[in-house]
Amino acid sequence: MTIEKLQLILANIALLFMMHVLLSAVHSKLKPFNTKFTYLLQVTIVSLTSIAMLYFPIAFGDFRFDFRALPLMLLAFILGWKHTIPALILVSLVRFSFGGEGAIPGVIYGTMIPTIVAMLLSKNAFAMKNVFRYLTGSVAVILSSDLFIIIVVPNGWEVFKDIFPLRFLFFVSSAYMIYLMVMENRKRLELQNRLKFFANHDPLTGLYNNRRFFEKVKEVFIKKDGPYYIAMVDIDYFKKINDTYGHVSGDKILSAFANLLLSNSGKNLVVGRYGGEEFIIHISGMSPVGVLNKLEAIRNDIERTTFYTHENEPMTLTASIGFTNYVNVQNMELTIDIADQELYKAKRNGRNQISSNLIEQINKKS
């Protein structure tokens, strides 16, 4: 291999590295990922990389070849046909604008055919996270591209035998290199997302932890979407469940109970796990009657739901609820204490009911 060929190969590798770095930056910095701007950036980055590779061809005698199909293949494998088609059109137009006798065959065999093959194989290549299928797809793409050499170029078979080893080695090894980098980047992003999630959520139930719950409460309060209420929810006789069925079953039931509460959350409800079998709900923008009706609907939903132990033994639960209102988020500790007192009042009065210091006010209005 001559120094010139080595320099050209290194230039192509540098372009691939730059493409990966830019795509990773777009993926990690811009959210949501399906915005038109993000889409445009991804297509533009890959298109420019492919076009840049047109300027770094490797010569074998009178024949010159480039690796413009490689970025397009990676785009098809990673992001799919919706991103690939506009990039394919752009690169094809640029290659055609260069002119020459090989313009049309170059567009067809060097750009369109391998990219179409990549799009057809994309579901079974990269999306499956299977490196063997991915590399097999890469081989299929490079072979489809080299049809141009065999079919169109004079003495094509002889030319193919001369250039194929280097071309094949660079194409497949570069594809594998990008695969490793992308997979490593995905693992890193998944880990970051998990760490971020568990920084804000209870790891067992997935509900907001106390810190994030109160941050969300402050956000609601700032919007002035009052009036505001705090409800404390506690599973009745939960200690007996742990003692009878074990803590593994208890955790499973806690998780299912949390999902039930979460299914009732929405614009006006924020749900968190306060601790143990106790949950906290922030409600806004409702009258006291509306809050009572909403909490009663939740209590009825709990009572009607079948929960399962770790051994899939069915059981039913009930819950006691206490709630109160507040007007100043700075007094949240006092508000929670009052709601907690109402919760234990509900337990003392027989459990599976709602208690509030607002009941008298609600009864007068009704």
Side-chain angles (χ1 to χ4, degrees):
M1 181 186 297
T2 65
I3 296 297
E4 182 183 1
K5 286 186 175 66
L6 180 59
Q7 289 174 337
L8 289 168
I9 288 175
L10 292 175
N12 280 279
I13 291 175
L15 288 171
L16 290 173
F17 267 109
M18 182 61 68
M19 180 189 75
H20 170 70
V21 169
L22 292 174
L23 288 176
S24 297
V26 170
H27 185 67
S28 60
K29 301 296 182 183
L30 296 180
K31 296 179 181 180
F33 302 141
N34 60 348
T35 62
K36 291 181 179 180
F37 180 64
T38 303
Y39 170 84
L40 181 62
L41 276 179
Q42 291 168 331
V43 171
T44 301
I45 290 167
V46 175
S47 299
L48 291 178
T49 303
S50 188
I51 291 168
M53 284 184 164
L54 291 169
Y55 292 91
F56 296 96
I58 298 175
F60 275 83
D62 295 332
F63 185 78
R64 297 156 67 88
F65 67 85
D66 57 67
F67 297 99
R68 83 194 80 142
L70 183 51
L72 295 172
M73 181 198 77
L74 295 170
L75 182 64
F77 282 178
I78 297 171
L79 295 176
W81 65 269
K82 289 184 180 179
H83 287 74
T84 308
I85 287 178
L88 171 61
I89 293 172
L90 181 59
V91 175
S92 297
L93 289 174
V94 172
R95 173 61 187 92
F96 183 76
S97 70
F98 285 2
E101 294 181 1
I104 294 178
V107 168
I108 294 173
Y109 292 100
T111 310
M112 296 184 66
I113 289 179
T115 306
I116 291 171
V117 170
M119 287 190 288
L120 292 174
L121 294 174
S122 62
K123 290 184 179 180
N124 293 323
F126 200 92
M128 299 298 293
K129 294 185 179 181
N130 184 303
V131 66
F132 176 77
R133 290 184 179 181
Y134 173 82
L135 291 177
T136 302
S138 301
V139 171
V141 170
I142 185 64
L143 289 176
S144 68
S145 177
D146 284 351
L147 285 173
F148 164 70
I149 300 171
I150 300 171
I151 297 173
V152 177
V153 176
N155 300 317
W157 179 248
E158 297 301 322
V159 175
F160 173 78
K161 287 192 296 182
D162 287 340
I163 71 171
F164 183 73
L166 176 62
R167 183 170 163 83
F168 178 84
L169 179 63
F170 176 82
F171 195 97
V172 176
S173 60
S174 297
Y176 182 62
M177 174 189 68
I178 294 294
Y179 174 87
L180 293 178
M181 290 191 295
V182 171
M183 293 303 295
E184 187 63 31
N185 190 54
R186 286 190 171 186
K187 289 178 182 177
R188 179 180 59 82
L189 289 175
E190 287 175 3
L191 180 60
Q192 287 180 349
N193 290 334
R194 288 186 65 187
L195 291 173
K196 185 177 180 181
F197 179 85
F198 288 124
N200 295 321
H201 296 78
D202 170 59
L204 174 63
T205 63
L207 297 179
Y208 289 131
N209 57 25
N210 283 339
R211 181 188 61 80
R212 185 57 179 159
F213 175 83
F214 292 118
E215 286 178 352
K216 297 295 289 186
V217 167
K218 289 178 182 178
E219 291 174 11
V220 174
F221 188 80
I222 290 172
K223 292 178 182 178
K224 302 185 183 300
D225 188 22
Y228 311 98
Y229 308 84
I230 287 290
M232 304 299 293
V233 183
D234 191 88
I235 302 174
D236 295 329
Y237 302 110
F238 186 73
K239 184 178 182 301
K240 184 177 179 181
I241 294 172
N242 272 335
D243 293 343
T244 304
Y245 301 99
H247 288 278
V248 175
S249 292
D251 287 348
K252 182 177 180 179
I253 289 167
L254 279 175
S255 181
F257 187 88
N259 287 334
L260 185 150
L261 294 182
L262 196 60
S263 69
N264 284 278
S265 65
K267 179 182 177 182
N268 298 320
L269 271 76
V270 181
V271 182
R273 185 184 182 190
Y274 195 69
E277 69 272 22
E278 194 169 11
F279 299 83
I280 186 168
I281 302 176
H282 182 267
I283 305 173
S284 61
M286 293 185 185
S287 67
V289 175
V291 173
L292 180 61
N293 290 337
K294 180 62 179 178
L295 292 175
E296 184 64 23
I298 292 174
R299 188 195 64 77
N300 284 327
D301 195 11
I302 295 167
E303 194 174 19
R304 290 193 300 264
T305 299
T306 301
F307 296 86
Y308 294 90
T309 67
H310 182 62
E311 293 78 19
N312 286 323
E313 184 175 340
M315 66 166 51
T316 57
L317 300 176
T318 61
S320 301
I321 304 173
F323 78 94
T324 189
N325 63 338
Y326 73 94
V327 294
N328 190 341
V329 74
Q330 302 303 324
N331 296 330
M332 188 54 63
E333 288 185 6
L334 176 61
T335 303
I336 292 173
D337 185 58
I338 294 172
D340 232 9
Q341 291 177 28
E342 294 298 329
L343 167 64
Y344 285 101
K345 186 186 294 184
K347 286 187 174 293
R348 289 194 301 271
N349 290 338
R351 293 182 170 82
N352 192 25
Q353 58 184 272
I354 300 171
S355 178
S356 175
N357 57 347
L358 303 176
I359 294 295
E360 186 175 340
Q361 173 186 339
I362 293 171
N363 290 335
K364 285 182 180 179
K365 289 188 176 182
S366 59

